[in-house]
Each structure stands twice: as structure tokens, then as C-alpha cells.
């Protein structure tokens, strides 16, 4: 979903969408596989790998695994190892992981922990105090050790409490999280027919719900609202949560 689609939809509904909420819309809207509804990447493992690299800073990194896709002369199932000892490659690897983590969570932790979005890394040219600064076009500023600990703790808790959901329950989890995030920001009001219709139309734009027509009142609004309500109720029931 692009910014123009978000703008048109939210203008029609009469909502005011800030840059932060745009991030949340982008986070919850790219549902390419309703069967799974899983955001790409494992944030816990990314955070743990960053901490691993920091703990081993100054020492070479040895990577070992089992060959599954052999090149010429290699034997499938045999062990393969690689020593990485170039400090700049290791530095860029850590910066890349931090950037992937920031891109991957895309607004989730800003809502959960009230954090600011990470800014691009700044490079300094010249000699202080006359140096110039420029922003990196790719890498974002790294997470602190405390932030990584918070992410790991949070993701572990989510994994341990992850309920087994049906297809409707998985869709409902996305809808419920989306609704709560926008409600927290004061974007959505107390008109659930309108609010749930908005969420429904997000799914329509993504091609994951049937387009039953424009509007959030009358029969159309009631049908959209009831559909979202049913999905959310499925999630709440299956996960043992209450609204």
C-alpha cells in the first residue's frame, strides 16, 4: 500500500494520519499471505545476532554449517566452515543487521515501547569544529544494548504466548493489533462501524477482502463491521484474550 492510497482512503473516512501512523498502516497492511500473516524475519534472532557480534568484537567470526546445495567438488551433507576476520566487513554486517531490524519492525516498537524511529547514520567530514555531516543513504543508527535486551525479552514473551490460530483467528490478530495501535494514537474514535469499515477497506486494497462497495454506513457499513468483528472475536476467543 503506497502513501497515495493511504491518503485517499483516510481522507474519505475523515481521519488525520500522521507520519507515525503511516508507518503503522504500512506495517499492518502488506498482508501477502493471509494464511500466515507473519511479518518477514525473526526480530529476536536478529537482535540476538547483533549482541553476539558485539560480544565477539575484536575476534574473528567462524561460521560453520552443513552443505545442502553443493557446488562442484562439494559433497552434500558434509561440514563447511568460513572464517571472517575483516573488521570492516564485521562492522558493516552489524550495521546491516541494525538496519534490517529497524526496517523489519517498521513502527511496531515505537508503539510498544514509545521509542523514536532510528535516524540514518551520520558521517563526519573534515576536522572539528569545521567538519560537515552527511546522512548515510542506507544504514540506520544502531540499537543500544538496552534496546536489544528489551526487544529480545518482548519477542520471547510473544513466542511463548503465541496461540494456535485458525485462518480467521490469524486475520483477526492483524485486525485487532491494527485497531489497537490506531486507537492508542487517538486516530480512531468510538464509532466501531466506521473504524472497522476502515480496517476492512485496508484489506480490500490489499486484495484480501471482497469489495462490497464504498461506504461505512447502512447495510454496507454493517457488513464490513460485522466481518471485522467476527475475525477479531475469533482471535480473542482462540487466544484467550478479552477486548
Amino acid at each position: 500500500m503506497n502513501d497515495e492510497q493511504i491518503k485517499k482512503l483516510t481522507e474519505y473516512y475523515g481521519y488525520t494520519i500522521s507520519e507515525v501512523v503511516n508507518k503503522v498502516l504500512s506495517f499492518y497492511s502488506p498482508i501477502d499471505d493471509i494464511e500466515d500473516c507473519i511479518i518477514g524475519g525473526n526480530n529476536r534472532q536478529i537482535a540476538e545476532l547483533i549482541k553476539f557480534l558485539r560480544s565477539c568484537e575484536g575476534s574473528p567470526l567462524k561460521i560453520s554449517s552443513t552443505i545442502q546445495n553443493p557446488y562442484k567438488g562439494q559433497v552434500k551433507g558434509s561440514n563447511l566452515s568460513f572464517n571472517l576476520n575483516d573488521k570492516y566487513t564485521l562492522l558493516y554486517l552489524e550495521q546491516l543487521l541494525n538496519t534490517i531490524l529497524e526496517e523489519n519492525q517498521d513502527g511496531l516498537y515505537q508503539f510498544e515501547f514509545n521509542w523514536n524511529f532510528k535516524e540514518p547514520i551520520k558521517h563526519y567530514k573534515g576536522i572539528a569544529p569545521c567538519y560537515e555531516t552527511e546522512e548515510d543513504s542506507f544504514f540506520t543508527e544502531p540499537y543500544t544494548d538496552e534496546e536489544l535486551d528489551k526487544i529480545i525479552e518482548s519477542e520471547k514473551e510473544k513466542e511463548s504466548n503465541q496461540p494456535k490460530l485458525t485462518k480467521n483467528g490469524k486475520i483477526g490478530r492483524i485486525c485487532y493489533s491494527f485497531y489497537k495501535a490506531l486507537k492508542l494514537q487517538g486516530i480512531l474514535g468510538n464509532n466501531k462501524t466506521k473504524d472497522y469499515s476502515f480496517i476492512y477497506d485496508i484489506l480490500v486494497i490489499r486484495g484480501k477482502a471482497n469489495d462490497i462497495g464504498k461506504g461505512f454506513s447502512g447495510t454496507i457499513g454493517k457488513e464490513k463491521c460485522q466481518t471485522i468483528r467476527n475475525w477479531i472475536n475469533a482471535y480473542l476467543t482462540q487466544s484467550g484474550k478479552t477486548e
Side-chain angles (χ1 to χ4, degrees), residues 9 17 19 23 28 35 37 48 55 64 75 89 95-96 113 115-116 121 140 172 178 181 184 191 193 199 208 225:
L9 185 63
I17 303 299
E19 181 181 354
K23 289 282 189 179
Y28 285 112
E35 292 292 334
C37 293
E48 288 177 338
S55 297
S64 61
V75 179
T89 302
Q95 290 179 343
L96 175 61
F113 309 133
W115 291 349
N116 293 322
I121 287 180
T140 59
F178 185 43
L184 181 65
N191 186 339
T193 299
I199 296 173
K208 302 304 179 182
C225 177

Side-chain angles (χ1 to χ4, degrees), residues 123-152:
H123 299 287
Y124 299 94
K125 287 181 162 184
I127 301 175
C130 300
Y131 59 72
E132 298 178 355
T133 62
E134 62 179 18
E135 292 186 346
D136 195 287
S137 60
F138 184 77
F139 293 125
T140 59
E141 61 180 314
Y143 285 87
T144 66
D145 289 340
E146 292 76 15
E147 288 172 336
L148 292 172
D149 288 338
K150 186 72 174 177
I151 291 170
I152 293 169

